[in-house]
Amino acid sequence: MIIVIACILVIAAIAFVLGVRAKDLPAPEPVSPFERLDERKAAIYENLRDLQFEYRLGKLSDQDYQNTKKDLQKELAGVLAEADRMKAQIGENGFVPQLEPAPPKPAEPKESGFVCPSCGARFDKDLKFCGECGKPMKAVQA
Amino acid sequence: MENLGSLALLLAFCVAIYAALASVAGRIKRKPFLVVSGRRGVYAVWALITVASGVLVHALMAGDFRFAYVWEHSNRSMPMLYKFAAWWGGQEGSLLLWSWLLATYSMVAAFTNRRRRRDFMPYVTGVLMTVQVFFLLLNNFVANAFKVFALDGRITALPDGNGLSPLLQYPAMAIHPPMLYLGYVGFSVPFAFAVGSLITRQPGDGWIHTTRRWTLVAWLFQSAGIMLGMAWAYHVLGWGGYWGWDPVENASLLPWISGTAFLHSVMMQEKKGMMKVWNIVLVSATFFLCILGTFLTRSGVVQSVHAFARSEIGKYFVGFLALGIAATVYLILERLDYLKSESQLESVVSRESSFLFNNLILLASCFAVLWGTLFPVISAAVSGDQISLDADWYNRLMVPIGLFLLFLTGVGPLFSWRRTSVDSLRRNFQWPGIAAVVLVGALIAAGVRHFYALISFGFCLFVALTVLVEFYKGSRSIAARNGMNLARAAVELTHRNTRRYGGYLVHVGIVLMFIGFTGQAFKLSEVKELDNGDSLKIGRYDLRMVKLEHGEEENYLWDRATLDVFKNGSELGLLRPEKRLYKASRQSTSEVGIRQRLDEDLYLNFGGMSDDNQRAVIQAFVNPLVSWVWVGGLVLIGGTLICLVPSKIRMQYARTQVLRVTSSYATVQK
Amino acid sequence: MRRFRNSLWLLLAAAAVLAQTASEKPSLDVRRVGARLMCQCGCKDSVATCSMLECGFSKPAKERIARMQAVGMSDDQIVQAFIRDYGQGIYLAPPNAFGWIVPYAGVGLGLVVIWLFIRKYRKPAPVAEIGAMEIDDPNLAKYKDQIEKDLAKLE
Ligand code: HEM
Ligand SMILES: [Zn+2]
């Protein structure tokens, strides 16, 4: 009995580990060349947002606020410029021709939900006031 | 059965070696087959160790006393809970638990990232499986839990087991080791990710984002484990305190401190792309301290620090630590160029610098504790003198460091990133600072003269107020903009940035714990031999012995004193400290009598019988403010749980332009 | 964590046999000498700090120290007497200054490292801090609008 169980255990382990069929192999995932830039951009936006919030709370002096904001904006512009350069490069090489013009910012149609008319934040619930900017957002459904 | 367990472990060992090699080879040679097969190896290792653990647990629950391990750590009369807990009651079992937890973590890490970060996940698997191989090596060949008794070549069962040490038969103690281990083991994952991203020279700090949750979870478990250990010591050991700075306690504290430093210093990398080398050094240090901690707690060499390298298992640990540290250091030095800082410091007075000091102080305390743990060994080796460092030594060293840490906890979050002008400082510090000074003045006027205690209370108020003000200002702003009441706004505020406000709550927890620690400065203790009718005076309490009883239960003999407690003349009730002597193990335990209140605990321990066997030796302590240590611990855990909730803010970035472009780019490429 | 300490309650039984008078509150003098002797009950502490109540070793040891002091023996003589009885292993050297210096030296070293770090990474002070929100580099100016727009949304 024990011997049978032991054999089953061994065979099962080996079969599971080595029995990788072709269809189990994942297709290579698309890699975005912008990943790193996106990350940086997101970080800078977060910092800016934080900064604004703290300023609003009165934790920062005007001077500090202005200086840091300027720094962050500069950095952000740098990142955006870098992204544009990459986009242009990709366009030249012909990989992604449709991206050549700096793309406008369309609201993606398949996204649904409730959109704040003043700031564009999106919520899946119907809110009376926008959770982001606080302005009223009566029944504007996307 | 025992064969099945051994076989599963042996098989797990082989599969783990295969998984480590296959993943790495598959990545280098770019063979997806090997990578996938290696990942499946991780799952298989988990399944096999689960089988082995299942066999052991089954044997424990069923009382299969053919197993040496079962015999040594359980007996028939033990409740089921403790039979299960005996899984980690001894060295072999607890190392098996370690292996199993690591396999579980590895499996979850491999599974959740199976489609992501394809270029470095194989290395992560490789690192995790290498650690797994080491522990399976111990499980199989050094501390095998499946040894059985044999008589004349035939496997025999013994009638009944030894039982778990009565000291450990407490609910808090039963879950304390797994908690600590969940913490210890959990740090392997961030470590593996760090090494993986270092090897493949990942741009950016993807490994930090991916592992922040892991780190927090591991840290949470470690905090919980340490708190449980303290609570257990306080309620069971009978010496009136909760922290004695002994090597095992220190071992659990070390990775917690360096983990705390890591949690903070990653923010520098996330926000500004600085301190990359340092972050790698910190995760590695934390991971290796976890291994050291396991070794100290589980090798049974606790008794004497001098036995470190002498025990057999110690050699393996020392070898593993040496190899691992050497490899990590080599890798870091090799990749220094890739770890270049991306930005600079705008100002010396800034959040950045406060984090530098935070790390300095945390690391200094980590080093001091490590030094204290190893100093006796070093000293004996160098000068031949034996030295013992008692709790006083640690306290004298750690109190100033701790106070400075407390101070930083208050001021750090008030500095803003990049630069903080005098004007900003004044806005944030003025009122909390004044309040703290007023408090200290009031305390002095009230007759408190203890220097450290004054400073500590002042800082506690300061930190608590700064956090309170943060919450208040934030909530007020949100309340005003969104038309909510203040309480809802506070919840909303926290939800929008759980990391910040959860972190602040953790800081409040630390403050509360410091209040509890400071109470120790005013501790009272008294020992007296009491007969019926005798009384003992301690502080404002009068204790009168009303009954002294002796008796016998199935497992143990007991002496119990019943004392009537009066405070300022009014009666408060009875306390019944008890001493038990377990017959089987000849061990004795204390059932202390504690009157726990938020202002102070009255703590009575039955020390034993006097020499003439007529009177009870009663040890009484008044511990002011200890309860705040437990309250603080709970707040700390709650705060950490909040940190784990995803922030609302994060989701807002998906709408920005570059991201939109990227996603279409990605679809086009497919 | 002190489970081992308590396991030595075994010795208690033995201790109870020896008739002694309790010396629960050792004087400062007793503590001073006791700190030089390792408690042999297995607790890793010194005789002075062994926190085991009714400890089979430290309790009688404290009484013995008190008796020896009562007859006028010096600290050294007492320690020597214990070493004669229990071997050199019982002697605990006072923690020398090394024990203190190293951790604080660590702090000092850390401060130096921080200082070096700050010196290395400190941005040179800008010539003049201007209050206006200008992106001065013309190459970046074109992004200004976009940033402002995004920022308005962030709030
Ligand atoms: C023993 C002491 C401390 C503990 C246990 C502790 C714990 C924590 C934890 C768990 C977090 C959340 C981190 C995360 O979610 O990733 C946090 C955040 C934070 N801690 Fe501490 N901390 C301690 C001391 C300090 C000190 C000394 C400073 C001073 C610089 C500090 C500054 C901060 C800051 C600024 C945050 C982040 C707030 C934000 O996200 O903006 N902490 N802390
Ligand atoms: Zn809005």
Side-chain angles (χ1 to χ4, degrees):
Chain A
M1 183 57 193
I2 285 286
I3 293 183
V4 176
I5 297 179
C7 289
I8 293 175
L9 197 68
V10 175
I11 293 169
I14 293 175
F16 175 69
V17 173
L18 295 180
V20 180
R21 292 156 302 169
K23 68 170 180 164
D24 298 333
L25 297 183
E29 79 195 338
V31 191
S32 160
F34 296 117
E35 196 179 312
R36 175 69 189 124
L37 291 176
D38 283 351
E39 223 177 61
R40 296 239 343 244
K41 192 178 157 187
I44 297 174
Y45 269 123
E46 192 180 314
N47 291 349
L48 270 168
R49 202 202 131 101
D50 248 21
L51 185 75
Q52 257 171 1
F53 189 63
E54 307 237 292
Y55 178 58
R56 223 163 63 204
L57 302 189
K59 274 181 74 179
L60 288 174
S61 67
D62 288 359
Q63 262 286 294
D64 286 350
Y65 173 64
Q66 300 296 4
N67 285 331
T68 304
K69 186 165 175 184
K70 203 179 76 193
D71 281 355
L72 283 168
Q73 285 180 327
K74 255 193 229 164
E75 271 168 40
L76 189 54
V79 175
L80 292 177
E82 173 85 21
D84 276 353
R85 232 191 45 238
M86 269 174 75
K87 269 183 243 167
Q89 256 176 11
I90 292 169
E92 271 163 31
N93 300 344
F95 281 123
V96 205
Q98 68 265 54
L99 286 182
E100 229 163 352
K105 211 183 150 195
E108 242 178 70
K110 57 178 185 235
E111 271 182 54
S112 68
F114 301 87
V115 178
C116 168
S118 19
C119 79
R122 198 179 289 277
F123 303 93
D124 24 325
K125 270 188 297 182
D126 189 4
L127 300 173
K128 232 187 230 153
F129 296 97
C130 169
E132 282 308 308
C133 71
K135 300 201 177 101
M137 50 179 289
K138 288 254 165 53
V140 182
Q141 197 162 359
Chain B
M1 282 308 264
E2 64 282 0
N3 294 331
L4 194 61
S6 298
L7 175 79
L9 277 185
L10 202 60
L11 211 54
F13 179 65
C14 301
V15 175
I17 293 178
Y18 169 77
L21 294 177
S23 315
V24 174
R27 167 66 176 73
I28 293 173
K29 299 255 184 254
R30 306 232 167 246
K31 293 258 191 296
F33 168 81
L34 282 179
V35 172
V36 173
S37 161
R39 190 166 61 232
R40 289 199 175 183
V42 176
Y43 306 154
V45 167
W46 177 80
L48 289 165
I49 300 180
T50 306
V51 169
S53 309
V55 170
L56 183 68
V57 170
H58 176 265
L60 283 164
M61 303 288 254
D64 187 346
F65 294 110
R66 295 173 310 142
F67 286 80
Y69 186 81
V70 176
W71 177 81
E72 224 171 302
H73 300 288
S74 74
N75 63 14
R76 290 192 195 284
S77 63
M78 257 159 63
M80 273 300 169
L81 168 70
Y82 296 118
K83 282 188 183 169
F84 186 78
W87 179 7
W88 48 83
Q91 189 186 69
E92 294 86 356
S94 62
L95 287 173
L96 185 61
L97 176 70
W98 220 102
S99 267
W100 184 75
L101 291 176
L102 179 61
T104 310
Y105 273 117
S106 307
M107 183 182 67
V108 175
F111 183 76
T112 51
N113 289 291
R114 68 194 179 285
R115 293 194 216 296
R116 302 171 55 214
R117 314 203 175 271
R118 203 148 288 164
D119 41 347
F120 80 90
M121 272 315 287
Y123 286 109
V124 173
T125 312
V127 173
L128 286 171
M129 284 299 111
T130 308
V131 180
Q132 186 83 62
V133 166
F134 169 68
F135 277 91
L136 281 167
L137 180 87
L138 299 180
N139 294 145
N140 275 293
F141 309 114
V142 186
N144 193 321
F146 296 104
K147 288 195 186 124
V148 286
F149 290 112
L151 195 66
D152 301 334
R154 305 189 50 147
I155 295 175
T156 19
L158 296 177
D160 197 2
N162 241 344
L164 195 64
S165 158
L167 276 174
L168 304 185
Q169 296 198 21
Y170 276 85
M173 204 51 191
I175 51 171
H176 163 73
M179 284 287 172
L180 268 188
Y181 284 11
L182 277 166
Y184 282 156
V185 181
F187 275 110
S188 320
V189 178
F191 171 70
F193 273 80
V195 171
S197 95
L198 196 55
I199 292 178
T200 54
R201 295 172 181 268
Q202 292 295 305
D205 39 16
W207 70 274
I208 289 184
H209 296 303
T210 316
T211 58
R212 171 169 170 260
R213 291 252 148 68
W214 289 94
T215 312
L216 266 178
V217 168
W219 190 84
L220 173 68
F221 279 123
Q222 227 162 36
S223 315
I226 294 173
M227 293 303 302
L228 282 171
M230 285 161 75
W232 172 77
Y234 188 65
H235 289 101
V236 175
L237 295 186
W239 55 279
Y242 42 80
W243 192 263
W245 296 109
D246 78 25
V248 184
E249 289 167 335
N250 294 349
S252 65
L253 193 61
L254 292 171
W256 184 87
I257 301 178
S258 64
T260 309
F262 176 66
L263 276 178
H264 289 93
S265 82
V266 291
M267 291 183 218
M268 287 279 271
Q269 186 165 347
E270 287 174 276
K271 293 258 181 190
K272 295 205 60 185
M274 302 181 84
M275 316 251 283
K276 295 179 176 181
V277 183
W278 183 236
N279 286 325
I280 300 253
V281 169
L282 272 183
V283 243
S284 312
T286 307
F287 170 72
F288 288 114
L289 286 172
C290 286
I291 300 280
L292 180 75
T294 312
F295 165 44
L296 287 183
T297 20
R298 265 312 152 195
S299 51
V301 294
V302 194
Q303 287 267 37
S304 154
V305 262
H306 308 280
F308 267 165
R310 247 184 269 142
S311 72
E312 213 216 327
I313 202 158
K315 281 184 220 139
Y316 288 86
F317 272 102
V318 170
F320 180 72
L321 282 173
L323 280 178
I325 293 173
T328 314
V329 169
Y330 170 77
L331 190 64
I332 294 174
L333 292 179
E334 210 337 90
R335 304 279 146 114
L336 267 187
D337 59 326
Y338 144 72
L339 295 169
K340 273 234 175 62
S341 178
E342 285 165 29
S343 54
Q344 292 182 310
L345 293 174
E346 276 80 5
S347 158
V348 182
V349 190
S350 59
R351 176 72 64 80
E352 286 91 326
S353 322
S354 82
F355 275 142
L356 294 181
F357 282 93
N358 157 315
N359 269 253
L360 167 70
I361 292 303
L362 284 168
L363 267 253
S365 48
C366 188
F367 176 68
V369 175
L370 184 66
W371 174 251
T373 313
L374 298 178
F375 184 49
V377 187
I378 296 170
S379 156
V382 173
S383 62
D385 286 340
Q386 275 183 317
I387 287 180
S388 101
L389 299 177
D390 49 19
D392 273 351
W393 185 87
Y394 281 100
N395 289 340
R396 253 175 301 162
L397 187 63
M398 298 303 287
V399 167
I401 296 182
L403 287 178
F404 192 54
L405 186 64
L406 182 62
F407 172 70
L408 277 179
T409 312
V411 302
L414 295 185
F415 284 85
S416 49
W417 287 98
R418 285 163 199 262
R419 58 177 69 75
T420 312
S421 61
V422 179
D423 184 24
S424 299
L425 284 182
R426 190 186 46 72
R427 288 162 187 248
N428 297 324
F429 282 90
Q430 197 171 32
W431 293 112
I434 291 176
V437 172
V438 169
L439 175 73
V440 172
L443 286 173
I444 292 178
V448 178
R449 287 291 178 275
H450 194 286
F451 178 66
Y452 282 146
L454 284 171
I455 294 194
S456 176
F457 284 135
F459 284 169
C460 283
L461 184 70
F462 175 74
V463 181
L465 278 181
T466 57
V467 175
L468 207 69
V469 168
E470 283 280 294
F471 269 97
Y472 174 69
K473 280 184 181 166
S475 321
R476 199 185 46 185
S477 152
I478 287 192
R481 288 177 155 244
N482 300 3
M484 311 169 157
N485 64 24
L486 212 56
R488 264 238 36 230
V491 174
E492 172 71 19
L493 175 76
T494 311
H495 195 179
R496 282 194 194 181
N497 193 345
T498 51
R499 182 186 204 162
R500 164 164 316 156
Y501 295 99
Y504 286 165
L505 270 184
V506 172
H507 293 172
V508 172
I510 294 286
V511 166
L512 296 177
M513 290 173 79
F514 265 84
I515 292 180
F517 298 154
T518 311
Q520 290 296 293
F522 308 102
K523 181 175 177 156
L524 302 174
S525 80
E526 205 65 61
V527 189
K528 210 170 165 190
E529 296 182 355
L530 299 178
D531 201 349
N532 270 336
D534 289 352
S535 63
L536 162 66
K537 189 169 167 54
I538 177 165
R540 284 169 299 165
Y541 295 95
D542 276 304
L543 309 172
R544 185 163 326 127
M545 174 93 110
V546 291
K547 204 159 29 164
L548 179 57
E549 302 163 282
H550 314 278
E552 184 170 353
E553 299 286 324
E554 189 191 341
N555 288 330
Y556 57 87
L557 303 163
W558 54 265
D559 303 308
R560 185 192 308 135
T562 304
L563 293 107
D564 205 356
V565 181
F566 297 86
K567 185 177 180 182
N568 299 331
S570 59
E571 187 173 349
L572 295 177
L574 300 173
L575 282 179
R576 297 191 178 80
E578 178 179 325
K579 175 117 275 164
R580 294 178 181 173
L581 182 68
Y582 282 78
K583 294 180 204 161
S585 54
R586 306 289 305 156
Q587 267 193 351
S588 66
T589 66
S590 291
E591 302 281 311
V592 294
I594 310 183
R595 181 176 185 275
Q596 268 180 316
R597 292 295 179 274
L598 284 180
D599 59 341
E600 62 187 19
D601 283 10
L602 175 65
Y603 181 112
L604 299 183
N605 181 39
F606 196 111
M609 293 302 291
S610 62
D611 303 330
D612 55 9
N613 231 343
Q614 290 305 307
R615 282 157 300 155
V617 181
I618 298 292
Q619 201 171 17
F621 300 90
V622 173
N623 288 326
L625 302 174
V626 245
S627 296
W628 292 99
V629 176
W630 320 126
V631 175
L634 291 177
V635 172
L636 184 147
I637 286 169
T640 317
L641 287 174
I642 288 179
C643 289
L644 283 167
V645 175
S647 287
K648 259 192 192 167
I649 288 183
R650 289 216 170 263
M651 300 181 251
Q652 307 293 329
Y653 293 103
R655 290 194 319 273
T656 56
Q657 259 187 10
V658 176
L659 287 170
R660 183 64 75 234
V661 171
T662 328
S663 59
S664 35
Y665 176 84
T667 25
V668 169
Q669 243 224 346
K670 218 188 267 178
Chain C
M1 313 257 161
R2 304 219 156 189
R3 57 194 107 133
F4 299 102
R5 189 166 298 182
N6 284 47
S7 75
L8 290 136
W9 271 101
L10 256 184
L11 292 175
L12 224 177
V17 179
L18 305 167
Q20 319 125 352
T21 45
S23 67
E24 259 84 41
K25 283 218 151 164
S27 67
L28 274 181
D29 296 328
V30 172
R31 286 179 136 267
R32 191 184 56 239
V33 182
R36 298 282 71 76
L37 301 169
M38 166 121 72
C39 181
Q40 305 288 297
C41 76
C43 64
K44 308 182 310 311
D45 277 340
S46 69
V47 164
T49 53
C50 174
S51 54
M52 241 180 81
L53 199 57
E54 304 289 300
C55 170
F57 186 85
S58 64
K59 197 179 164 204
K62 275 181 251 185
E63 280 151 16
R64 182 168 165 204
I65 295 170
R67 277 198 303 276
M68 287 165 140
Q69 281 172 338
V71 298
M73 287 170 74
S74 74
D75 290 4
D76 237 16
Q77 287 170 319
I78 300 175
V79 170
Q80 287 310 321
F82 272 93
I83 291 178
R84 242 190 345 268
D85 293 355
Y86 297 94
Q88 186 65 41
I90 198 174
Y91 178 66
L92 285 177
N96 48 20
F98 209 49
W100 284 89
I101 289 169
V102 170
Y104 282 112
V107 177
L109 188 73
L111 283 174
V112 172
V113 170
I114 289 186
W115 184 65
L116 290 175
F117 182 91
I118 290 178
R119 248 189 35 168
K120 176 157 179 214
Y121 287 106
R122 176 94 165 84
K123 221 180 224 174
V127 190
E129 297 258 19
I130 352 147
M133 262 190 288
E134 294 289 335
I135 292 179
D136 17 28
D137 186 341
N139 289 330
L140 300 179
K142 61 174 174 160
Y143 296 103
K144 202 183 139 190
D145 280 351
Q146 196 193 332
I147 292 176
E148 290 291 345
K149 236 170 46 201
D150 276 348
L151 263 185
K153 273 179 204 133
L154 268 182
E155 226 187 325

